[in-house]
Amino acid sequence: MQLGMIGLGRMGANMVRRLMQAGHQCVVSDLNPQSVATLVGEGAIGAADIADMLAKMEKPRAVWLMLPAAITPRIAREVARQMAPGDILIDGGNSNYRDAVDIAAELAPSGVSYVDVGTSGGVWGLQRGYSLMVGGAPEAIKTLDPILAALAPGHDGSGGTPGTVDTATQGYLHCGPAGAGHFVKMVHNGIEYGMMAAYAEGLNILKAANAGNEKRAADAETAPLHNPEYYKFGIDLAAVTEVWRHGSVIGSWLLDLTAQTLKDDVTLARFDGKVSDSGEGRWTLQAAIETGVPAPVLSSALFNRFASRDNDEFANKLLSAMRYSFGGHEEK
């Protein structure tokens, strides 16, 4: 099958490679000409712009966008204006599901189908395959089945089998109408935030388990450590995360990656600890609030990311100012 890919970043480029390995033809475009040239050297067909891409493709055409959420709606509408009835436009980025609902409704009269595909797999997807959460009309999804199967892990990472009824066991799923794919991926990423925070907080407690052997200030601004004899464990974090990988109830691929990271450098010297969020966690909480679903773990994980970027600096300064005002407490 032929597919156009716009956006050749960390995931888009590897998705093209995986598709070409499965025998599909890819027409590629990106703002960076070198990204296009690299994939052309590997067998893709390069396109200078949207019009050039569509001209090089056979109708009906399928074009996949792998772009930042902030620009996806604009680019999607620009591509759609140049498409014809029967064409399919796919958004595989981390876009807001509401955009998919709105754009699909806009395009319906033109005969262009809009499909949203929540795509999980990151930089490892080329080897492992991608978990795909798909929203859109059944007819369009059926047309895209060979592409989705090739991108998905299948049973051994080499890809799925097109035409299979139980696609979920192969790593891709038609979740519902337009917007459903990104809604499921949104919640997936919200859960991811919570899982990451749980690992990070737990390992931080283990890191502090040797506090009883550390010298502690004895002054009015420092809480005493009662019973320091109970906190004299020099825990090997790399070894602990490794043992958790084998038979533990909290084992996961995320833990596998964490164990390897700590094995490489337990001090995490290359990281500053400023954790970004790309929007899905916020949208998950918005959905939780609007539907009345409690989500304390996910909300805490998201707010912790805000704090990691010093977005709480002013509030913390105010806390220090209030302590100084009522008690003369100096900062340490």
Side-chain angles (χ1 to χ4, degrees):
M1 184 173 172
Q2 189 182 54
L3 182 79
M5 179 69 76
I6 299 177
L8 305 175
R10 290 188 301 270
M11 290 184 67
N14 277 345
M15 291 169 70
V16 169
R17 292 185 176 100
R18 187 171 174 90
L19 288 170
M20 291 194 298
Q21 288 174 4
H24 297 286
Q25 184 184 73
C26 294
V27 184
V28 300
S29 179
D30 192 272
L31 288 176
N32 184 352
Q34 185 55 51
S35 298
V36 174
T38 297
L39 286 172
V40 168
E42 298 176 26
I45 298 171
D49 52 33
I50 296 169
D52 186 34
M53 169 177 283
L54 294 175
K56 290 178 176 178
M57 298 181 68
E58 299 176 2
K59 295 181 179 179
R61 298 159 295 193
V63 175
W64 191 302
L65 308 179
M66 284 301 288
L67 302 169
I71 65 171
T72 294
R74 175 176 62 82
I75 301 299
R77 290 182 172 96
E78 184 177 344
V79 175
R81 281 194 294 269
Q82 302 178 55
M83 298 183 104
D87 287 346
I88 303 173
L89 183 57
I90 308 131
D91 173 20
N94 282 325
S95 301
N96 193 318
Y97 75 96
R98 297 183 180 208
D99 291 335
V101 173
D102 294 342
I103 296 174
E106 290 176 23
L107 299 185
S110 71
V112 174
S113 297
Y114 195 77
V115 174
D116 52 294
V117 182
T119 309
S120 180
V123 297
W124 296 89
L126 176 59
Q127 292 79 24
R128 291 170 52 95
Y130 300 88
S131 177
L132 305 173
M133 295 139 269
V134 189
E139 299 79 10
I141 308 306
K142 183 178 180 180
T143 300
L144 294 174
D145 188 69
I147 294 293
L148 300 172
L151 290 171
H155 297 299
D156 59 4
S158 63
T161 302
T164 303
V165 175
D166 186 13
T167 62
T169 61
Q170 299 194 63
Y172 67 108
L173 177 68
H174 183 199
C175 300
H182 279 156
F183 191 91
V184 173
K185 178 57 161 57
M186 172 190 77
V187 176
H188 164 283
N189 282 24
I191 293 171
E192 177 185 295
Y193 283 22
M195 290 176 63
M196 293 171 70
Y199 280 133
E201 291 179 12
L203 288 166
N204 203 21
I205 293 171
L206 289 178
K207 182 177 179 294
N210 203 35
N213 285 322
E214 298 174 357
K215 186 175 181 180
R216 202 173 184 88
D219 55 42
E221 306 304 325
T222 305
L225 177 64
H226 297 292
N227 307 116
E229 65 273 16
Y230 296 136
Y231 301 99
K232 295 188 176 183
F233 308 115
I235 305 293
D236 184 336
L237 298 183
V240 167
T241 50
E242 179 62 32
V243 75
W244 283 351
R245 294 180 59 225
H246 305 279
S248 166
V249 71
I250 62 170
S252 70
W253 182 49
L254 186 58
L255 181 64
D256 295 344
L257 297 174
T258 302
Q260 185 59 54
T261 297
L262 292 172
K263 181 179 178 180
D264 292 341
D265 177 15
V266 74
T267 68
L268 305 178
R270 60 169 292 200
F271 300 101
D272 293 328
K274 297 186 182 299
V275 188
S276 299
D277 75 285
S278 52
E280 303 85 2
R282 304 179 189 214
W283 305 331
T284 300
L285 293 189
Q286 182 180 3
I289 291 168
E290 292 184 352
T291 58
V293 176
V297 172
L298 306 190
S299 60
S300 176
L302 176 63
F303 293 149
N304 196 40
R305 291 193 177 205
F306 296 166
S308 78
R309 306 196 297 267
D310 297 329
N311 291 349
D312 58 350
E313 182 180 23
F314 183 73
N316 290 333
K317 286 182 176 181
L318 277 175
L319 290 173
S320 287
M322 287 185 278
R323 292 188 77 243
Y324 180 78
S325 297
F326 66 66
H329 300 284
E330 298 284 353
E331 290 185 326
K332 288 193 62 177

